[in-house]
């Protein structure tokens, strides 16, 4: 504040004060030492140094009245605590020796405007009054009693009252120490520089309440505040702390008007019910408003719904909950850490109407406390109220429990006493009584000593002030519990910089120990993310992390890596199971069985042919090409084991080589045979000379030439794309991740497989074409007919294979179906060739050896001519014994 503004403010205030003071005339001029008596609705106790006192002796008046009902605990107990402290200091030879403290104590009536009016008394002595224009009736100058000078003020109680008074006292540099005002605004040393307090600021209290809310796992609360500095500042501090700490949201902030209209509290309860999930209600309100809120909750039949958390204005007081025990059950309250002062209990219990005349309100307290009347005229006929006998005793004929702020009132008075004592020691060393440097007391100097005091208070706790005049934060936490129908406030924890809360000792409405909830939204289940409601971080909707997503944190889902899938509750990712065709699988057993039987049969045929290698039938079948063909058949069967074996570098390389090689060998040999037969009979139509390249050596060269093309293609493939095994995670990436599988397989795609088998298919088709062209050859000549039937059947097998193989590409069992189909198709192709071409020969060799005999030799020209003529006219050669023409042709061709 600038100096000019300060002067103008003080000038205008002084004018107001002067007008007020001239209208006031002291009722008593003589002031007996140490005696108190009524003075302008105040208590006045003489002394060398006078301290002011502000106490809410009465409540706020209704219907335009300044004051209401008497406050026994909050008013009388606290007021008597100041008198008790003054007596102790005045009787202490070590504290302010030879200096007596006096007092001027006023009633604020729990109203800031009334307190402002009353507190003008404290600054009255600081204003010079011009009496030159004032004359008595006889013309003489008036005799004006100069009011005592107040050097410091103890009070006030309510923060709004303290703020109003502090604004006046700072203008006249009068230090002020409050015993109950906790509003954070009062910590502003630039505005309230002469204000100090022995109770902690609501900033600490708000932090403690936030910590309690979080410890009880609440995150959605409402706030309720009395209009004024205490309530509004307290709620503001709570909201600020909850934002800083996070995790607590305020559903709504409701304010109780300073002058509530009828039905206002019922309206407040209805508004709180609009956010019914916010069962916890944080209350910064005076005890009158607290009581009326509880009454409204009871009328609304909401007993047990709301969980109240009251500030130090509620504390452990009985009056707010009297006859409202069930509504208040489970309420959590907070109070600056205190202890009951035993000396005060003895002092207060000994107070009577005779020994406590200095307290002008004590007679009113007496009537209220003992439910009697001092004046007989005040008694009404038929009334149950009796006349007071003055033999009643506090604590015996009435209940008594020390009010919670008594300790702080005593500490505030002692803080002022210690500051004055230290000031006297420094300014008046060795002097008895006050010295000129302390007459009058300099308020600015006194404030410095107040801020530097450090002593053990009446309860043994240290009394100190920080640079803003605040006391350190130390709180007891209470819960209002009903045990065995007996209500009581029970200490359930403490707060000193951090929280110590005994949750297991807490009881909730109905006597249960189950922690009530006050949350906006239920916690999301594992695998669900929070989608926050805009503007309310404690309210959300839960969304499932679906598909291949997992819960990254409480707000986000993330897709698993390509080789992973979410676990059952979508909280993390696990590797996708790797599958391959197992030997024990039914899909593998059948192909393996067929392959084993085929291999055994092939080896049996080979052994038979080797043993009977020089017999006519073996020779007639073309021994060299037969062994080549049998080798191809064997490889076709052996391919089954490569297809089922676990894919790795060697397995995949062998698959590339032998999957197409076995079929290429088989069909190359068959193609060579059918081509030879075709060329022989086509040549026979033109001449009797033999075609070229029909000798066994030529046939082998042609066969291996055809086979070499397959090998060259595979070699090129190896160079361009080296073989390796892969894990295919896309093939069985099902909609439901639970069924997702990674397939361990060789890097042979469907297109690569078509290319790999394409050459074999080309040989097969070409061979089939030749088989069709030689379909007219008599069945007794060579192997044209069996080869034809073999190729027809093989084509049918592969025509069936194609739709099955490619039609199951989207099936979950694709790997099993395609592998089994491919292996069985290859094995069936080999089996058809083996069964139709070689089994009849083996049958003749083993069971009809009489047919396996050599026949007479004729020239090649004669044989070809006979075969050709037989083809043109008849099939008489079929009637020749032992198939002579057939064998003879083959034998002659073999020897060429």
């Amino acid at each position: 504040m600038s100096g000019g503004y300060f002067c103008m403010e003080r000038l205008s205030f002084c004018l107001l004060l002067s007008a007020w003071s001239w209208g006031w005339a002291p009722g008593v001029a003589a002031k007996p030492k140490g005696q108190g008596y009524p003075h302008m609705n105040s208590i006045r106790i003489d002394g060398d140094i006078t301290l002011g006192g502000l106490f809410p002796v009465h409540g706020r008046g209704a219907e335009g009245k300044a004051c209401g009902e008497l406050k026994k605990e909050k008013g009388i107990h606290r007021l008597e605590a100041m008198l008790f402290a003054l007596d102790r200091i005045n009787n202490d030879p070590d504290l302010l020796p030879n200096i007596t403290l006096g007092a001027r104590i006023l009633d604020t009536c729990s109203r800031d405007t009334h307190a402002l009016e009353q507190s003008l008394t404290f600054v009255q002595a600081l204003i010079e009054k011009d009496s030159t224009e004032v004359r008595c009736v006889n013309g003489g100058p008036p005799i004006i009693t100069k009011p005592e000078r107040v050097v410091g003020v103890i009070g006030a109680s309510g923060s709004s009252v303290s703020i109003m008074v502090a604004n006046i006292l700072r203008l006249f540099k009068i230090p002020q120490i409050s015993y109950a005002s906790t509003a954070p605004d009062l910590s502003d040393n630039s505005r309230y520089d002469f204000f100090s307090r022995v109770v902690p600021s609501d900033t600490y209290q708000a932090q403690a309440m936030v910590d309690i809310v979080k410890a009880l796992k609440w995150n959605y609360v409402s706030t309720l505040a009395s209009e004024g500095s205490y309530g509004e500042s307290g709620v503001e501090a709570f909201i600020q702390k909850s934002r800083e700490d996070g995790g607590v949201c305020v559903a709504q902030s409701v304010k109780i008007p300073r002058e509530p209209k009828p039905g206002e509290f019922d309206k407040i309860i209805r508004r709180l019910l609009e956010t019914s999930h916010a069962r916890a209600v944080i209350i910064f309100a005076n005890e009158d408003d607290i009581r009326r809120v509880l009454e409204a909750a009871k009328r609304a039949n909401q007993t047990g719904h709301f969980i109240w958390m009251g500030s130090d204005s509620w504390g452990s007081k009985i009056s707010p909950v009297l006859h409202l025990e069930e509504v208040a059950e489970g309420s959590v309250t907070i109070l600056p850490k205190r202890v009951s002062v035993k000396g005060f209990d003895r002092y207060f219990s000994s107070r009577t109407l005779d020994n406590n005349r200095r307290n002008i309100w004590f007679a009113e307290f007496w009537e209220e406390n003992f439910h009697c009347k001092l004046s007989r005229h005040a008694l009404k006929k038929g009334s149950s109220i009796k006349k007071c006998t003055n033999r009643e005793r506090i604590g015996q004929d009435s209940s008594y429990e020390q009010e919670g702020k008594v300790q702080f009132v005593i500490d505030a008075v002692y803080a002022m006493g210690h500051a004055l004592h230290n000031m006297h020691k420094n300014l008046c060393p060795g002097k008895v009584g006050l010295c000129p440097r302390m007459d009058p007391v300099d308020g600015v100097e006194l404030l410095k000593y107040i801020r530097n005091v450090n002593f053990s208070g009446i309860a043994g706790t240290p009394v100190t002030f920080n640079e803003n005049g605040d006391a350190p934060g130390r709180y007891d936490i209470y819960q209002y519990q009903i045990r065995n129908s007996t209500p009581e406030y029970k200490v359930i924890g403490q707060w000193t910089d951090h929280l110590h809360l005994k949750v297991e000792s807490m009881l909730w409405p109905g006597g249960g120990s189950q922690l009530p909830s006050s949350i906006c939204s239920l916690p999301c289940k594992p695998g669900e993310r929070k989608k926050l409601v805009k503007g309310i971080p404690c309210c959300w909707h839960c969304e499932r992390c679906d598909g291949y997503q997992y819960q990254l944190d409480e707000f986000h889902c993330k897709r698993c890596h390509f080789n992973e899938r979410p676990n059952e509750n979508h909280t993390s990712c696990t590797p996708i199971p790797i599958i391959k065709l197992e030997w024990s699988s039914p899909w593998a057993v059948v192909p393996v069985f067929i392959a084993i039987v085929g291999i055994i049969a092939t080896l049996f045929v080979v052994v038979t042919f080797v043993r009977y290698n020089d017999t006519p039938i073996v020779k007639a079948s073309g021994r060299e090409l037969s062994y080549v063909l049998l080798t191809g058949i064997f490889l076709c069967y052996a391919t089954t084991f490569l297809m089922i074996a676990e894919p790795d570098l060697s397995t995949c390389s062998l698959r590339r080589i032998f999957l197409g090689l076995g079929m290429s060998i088989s069909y190359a040999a068959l193609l060579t045979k059918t081509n030879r037969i075709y060329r022989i009979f086509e040549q026979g139509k033109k001449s009797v000379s033999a075609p070229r390249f029909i000798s066994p050596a030529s046939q082998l060269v042609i066969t291996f030439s055809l086979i070499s093309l397959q090998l060259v293609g595979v070699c090129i493939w190896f160079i361009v794309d080296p073989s390796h095994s892969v894990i295919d995670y896309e093939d069985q990436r099902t909609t439901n991740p639970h069924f997702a599988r990674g397939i361990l397989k060789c890097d042979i795609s469907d297109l690569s497989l078509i290319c790999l088998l394409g050459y074999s298919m080309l040989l097969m088709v070409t061979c089939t074409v030749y088989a069709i062209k030689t379909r007219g050859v008599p069945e007794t000549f060579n192997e044209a007919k069996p080869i034809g039937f073999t190729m027809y059947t093989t084509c049918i097998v592969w025509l069936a294979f194609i739709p099955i193989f490619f039609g199951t590409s989207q099936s979950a069992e694709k790997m099993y179906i395609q592998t089994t189909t491919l292996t069985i198709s290859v094995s069936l192709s080999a089996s058809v060739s083996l069964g139709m071409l070689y089994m009849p020969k083996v049958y003749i060799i083993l069971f009809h050896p009489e047919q396996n005999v050599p026949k007479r030799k004729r020239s090649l020209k004669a044989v070809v001519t006979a075969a050709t003529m037989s083809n043109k006219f008849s099939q008489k050669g079929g009637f020749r014994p032992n198939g002579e023409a057939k064998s003879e042709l083959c034998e002659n061709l073999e020897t060429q």
Side-chain angles (χ1 to χ4, degrees), residues 10 50-52 119-126 148-154 165-177 193-196 416 441-444 446-447 450:
R10 182 167 180 176
T50 301
L51 302 180
S119 61
L120 294 175
T121 304
F122 297 147
V123 299
Q124 181 185 1
L126 300 177
E148 71 279 5
R149 185 186 184 100
V150 174
V151 300
V153 174
I154 306 300
V165 173
N167 284 320
I168 296 176
L169 297 182
R170 70 183 297 268
L171 297 176
F172 296 92
K173 298 181 173 55
I174 299 176
Q176 175 186 2
I177 302 179
D193 46 348
F194 280 81
F195 178 85
S196 305
M416 194 72 76
V441 174
D442 185 353
V444 176
L446 177 59
L447 178 65
I450 290 174

Side-chain angles (χ1 to χ4, degrees), residues 252 269-277:
Q252 54 179 327
I269 294 298
R270 287 194 299 270
R271 184 173 172 186
L272 291 174
L273 287 172
E274 291 175 1
T275 51
S276 58
H277 289 296

Side-chain angles (χ1 to χ4, degrees), residues 189 263 329 389 564 579 698 833 877:
N189 206 37
E329 184 181 8
T389 63
E564 294 178 329
I579 60 172
S698 301
S833 299

Side-chain angles (χ1 to χ4, degrees), residues 444-480:
V444 176
E445 199 70 23
L446 177 59
L447 178 65
K448 295 178 182 177
Y449 285 97
I450 290 174
R451 294 290 171 87
N452 290 323
V453 296
N454 189 344
F455 64 96
S456 182
I458 192 71
T461 56
V463 177
T464 59
F465 301 100
N466 63 14
E467 65 277 5
N468 295 322
D470 293 334
R474 293 186 292 265
Y475 295 95
D476 282 324
I477 301 165
Y478 295 83
Q479 187 182 38
Y480 192 66

